[in-house]
Amino acid sequence: MLTSRPRGTNDILPGETEKWQYIEKVFHDVCRRYGYKEMRIPIFEHTELFERGVGDTTDIVEKEMYTFNDRGGRSVTLRPEGTASAVRAYLDGKLFAVPQPVKMYYIGPMFRYDRPQAGRYRQFHQVGVEAFGAESPAIDIEVVALFMDYFRELGLTELELMLNSVGCPKCRKVLRDRLQDYFRSHLSSLCENCRSRFDRNPLRILDCKEAKCREVSSDAPTLFDSLCDRCLNHFKIVREGLDELGVPYTLNPSLVRGLDYYTNTAFEVVVHGIGAQSSIGGGGRYDGLVELIGKRDIPGIGFAIGMERVLLAMEKQGVGFPSVHGFDVYVATIGKGTETYALKLTDSLRKAGLSAERDVMGRSLRAQMKYASKMAARYTVIVGDEELAREQVIIRCMDTGKQEDVHIEDIIKILLEKTTQPQGGSLSV
Ligand code: AMP
């Protein structure tokens, strides 16, 4: 029991961590290119923030939050998503007072009490961006382009970007009435959940995954038919922008974020062939959310991408990772007299910026070489008593087995040169 982890959580251990660092690095880099700056926000917040900011008719708030009273008796919740916290931080940090737009991104764990399965966990990780203060569809285009660029940089393929507009509260009122008129005569064919959604939030019926509800929904009135001129125009500009950039998308009128503060553009990416949990990320505009949380009428748009699903998709598609070697140099020793030299050489290599290891287990040379090879060292420096007396060591390239004698004064220079050369091969997940 003490050694088993809580259901729905994962340990990310060496061997895996490198893949995480890589997909995080690519995200940092794509965000840098688009001018988004990193934000680091709390893992827990006051429960009310999510009740209001995620919406109390959502599955997340109704069933999935990790909520508890802290020792001061205050209800707090482990964040189930990043947007509500980002809005709070924007307001708390008075970022409305700096030049707009404010463009930020985050990377970190989220928590949802859901039934775990492949690609669905109770602690999972997201990368996401939020852009505040811009009303123009230009920012929608930028956010969707950044979203798709991330997948492109990672080398993922077979992605389908789905796009919709959920309009503004005015268009949604029209749709809501039309949907209620439509679903009223089909109530008995809907699942229990959707029957309860009928009064509270009929838009969410369109989002239901139950086969019987999907069938009824397939003939329901769509948002496209209910958009007002302003929302139609906003959506048109977004689509034209994506067309200009050559970003392909599928219009999907049943892609809804059925909450009052979501507006206009909604999008989601699914990867074909990774199983049931095929959605790897999604987002949209939330022009009413800042107002709801902080009484300031400030528009916003963002997305979140599930990192476990990104890795799952990369694995399924056999996408390679660039880092192949465990470390740059292994310093192997023969004979007791060489230990102090190996200690100092390893230290100098590390100070010169290389990753270097030496024997700490008292192994024979043969066992040291075996270890270096198993741990995927790029080069081994072999330090022997006799060679050292001649101020020489042997440098062995572990990939090719090629060895050369090198004067001790040149070791660092030569290894620095060699390790800046590109590495061959690639590691697949
Ligand atoms: P959402 O915040 O629900 O829009 O989710 C955004 C993305 O986060 C999804 O597309 C998934 O990739 C990921 N995600 C959401 N819930 C989970 C979960 N329970 N486990 C793993 N990934 C998740």
Side-chain angles (χ1 to χ4, degrees):
M1 187 61 199
L2 274 183
T3 55
S4 65
R5 53 183 200 267
R7 214 161 109 78
T9 65
N10 290 300
D11 296 315
I12 304 167
L13 300 174
E16 279 299 306
T17 331
E18 292 77 2
K19 297 169 193 165
W20 285 78
Q21 288 170 341
Y22 170 67
I23 65 170
E24 286 169 15
K25 183 172 143 282
V26 173
F27 194 67
H28 284 293
D29 193 51
V30 174
C31 286
R32 179 189 60 78
R33 288 188 240 163
Y34 279 79
Y36 286 67
K37 302 279 162 60
E38 187 179 5
M39 70 192 310
R40 298 193 181 191
I41 42 187
I43 303 284
F44 66 93
E45 298 271 1
H46 297 314
T47 301
E48 306 89 277
L49 176 70
F50 299 120
E51 283 172 351
R52 306 209 91 204
V54 178
D56 49 16
T57 62
T58 56
D59 284 350
I60 293 182
V61 171
E62 281 181 346
K63 312 191 278 226
E64 297 173 4
M65 293 211 300
Y66 274 92
T67 297
F68 56 96
N69 285 338
D70 68 11
R71 285 172 188 271
R74 175 98 216 197
S75 179
V76 293
T77 295
L78 299 183
R79 61 183 191 193
E81 53 105 63
T83 305
S85 312
V87 170
R88 191 218 27 80
Y90 171 86
L91 290 161
D92 208 17
K94 300 200 172 24
L95 298 183
F96 44 79
V98 304
Q100 307 292 298
V102 170
K103 308 199 293 186
M104 299 189 284
Y105 71 94
Y106 57 83
I107 298 180
M110 305 292 162
F111 304 84
R112 294 183 196 172
Y113 190 84
D114 203 345
R115 204 167 37 79
Q117 61 180 83
R120 189 162 74 198
Y121 309 101
R122 291 182 173 170
Q123 174 171 343
F124 60 100
H125 300 77
Q126 288 183 338
V127 296
V129 311
E130 314 290 349
F132 296 100
E135 215 175 324
S136 153
I139 195 86
D140 304 40
I141 299 166
E142 177 178 285
V143 166
V144 178
L146 191 168
F147 183 68
M148 295 311 289
D149 250 1
Y150 179 51
F151 301 125
R152 190 185 51 78
E153 283 286 320
L154 291 174
L156 283 170
T157 54
E158 291 167 70
L159 303 170
E160 187 176 5
L161 169 65
M162 291 187 301
L163 194 66
N164 190 21
S165 169
V166 299
C168 62
K170 260 196 293 172
C171 343
R172 265 205 309 277
K173 169 87 183 61
V174 174
L175 178 69
R176 196 189 155 98
D177 294 346
R178 295 176 59 192
L179 283 176
Q180 279 178 333
D181 286 347
Y182 173 81
F183 284 121
R184 190 163 291 118
S185 54
H186 293 93
L187 270 181
S188 57
S189 319
L190 297 177
C191 73
E192 202 182 312
N193 240 335
C194 283
R195 282 204 294 272
S196 83
R197 286 167 178 153
F198 175 78
D199 279 321
R200 289 184 303 153
N201 195 344
L203 260 81
R204 292 215 44 233
I205 302 176
L206 301 175
D207 211 14
C208 184
K209 304 284 179 275
E210 294 271 335
K212 53 186 177 184
C213 302
R214 290 180 94 121
E215 199 180 314
V216 177
S217 294
S218 62
D219 287 329
T222 69
L223 272 159
F224 293 145
D225 313 325
S226 315
L227 293 182
C228 66
D229 287 348
R230 196 158 178 260
C231 292
L232 264 180
N233 191 46
H234 187 102
F235 195 39
K236 179 167 166 275
I237 298 171
V238 173
R239 283 180 355 233
E240 285 169 359
L242 294 175
D243 293 341
E244 285 295 332
L245 293 177
V247 175
Y249 54 84
T250 313
L251 292 179
N252 181 350
S254 64
L255 177 67
V256 292
R257 316 207 104 209
L259 297 168
D260 286 348
Y261 40 82
Y262 284 113
T263 50
N264 292 297
T265 316
F267 54 95
E268 185 174 324
V269 154
V270 296
V271 193
H272 297 293
I274 65 162
Q277 303 302 314
S278 60
S279 155
I280 59 172
R285 192 171 255 287
Y286 46 83
D287 286 351
L289 186 56
V290 183
E291 169 97 64
L292 186 90
I293 292 175
K295 303 198 173 55
R296 277 175 193 272
D297 181 14
I298 295 167
I301 178 168
F303 66 70
I305 297 172
M307 297 173 76
E308 283 81 359
R309 292 196 198 162
V310 164
L311 287 168
L312 192 68
M314 290 173 79
E315 180 179 3
K316 284 267 156 75
Q317 298 188 355
V319 178
F321 283 74
S323 102
V324 281
H325 287 95
F327 46 88
D328 299 319
V329 187
Y330 185 80
V331 179
T333 48
I334 324 169
K336 283 268 173 251
T338 58
E339 284 220 351
T340 308
Y341 180 77
L343 165 72
K344 285 170 125 168
L345 176 61
T346 310
D347 184 60
S348 306
L349 288 165
R350 288 173 177 160
K351 292 203 162 91
L354 295 170
S355 54
E357 298 277 325
R358 72 180 184 109
D359 179 44
V360 291
M361 303 295 287
R363 291 190 168 108
S364 67
L365 176 67
R366 216 176 113 86
Q368 289 180 53
M369 296 305 286
K370 218 165 141 184
Y371 174 80
S373 151
K374 239 195 173 116
M375 301 310 286
R378 251 181 121 178
Y379 292 93
T380 299
V381 178
I382 304 167
V383 187
D385 289 315
E386 277 173 35
E387 288 84 354
L388 212 52
R390 282 187 277 120
E391 301 201 325
Q392 298 260 315
V393 295
I394 298 166
I395 292 183
R396 179 185 174 94
C397 170
M398 300 301 281
D399 276 348
T400 61
K402 227 180 97 195
Q403 301 200 159
E404 56 188 301
D405 291 334
V406 167
H407 191 271
I408 53 171
E409 298 224 318
D410 300 329
I411 304 174
I412 293 182
K413 190 174 93 280
I414 290 176
L415 283 170
L416 276 173
E417 269 167 28
K418 286 184 184 294
T419 50
T420 47
Q421 284 161 15
Q423 308 182 10
S426 75
L427 170 85
S428 51
V429 235

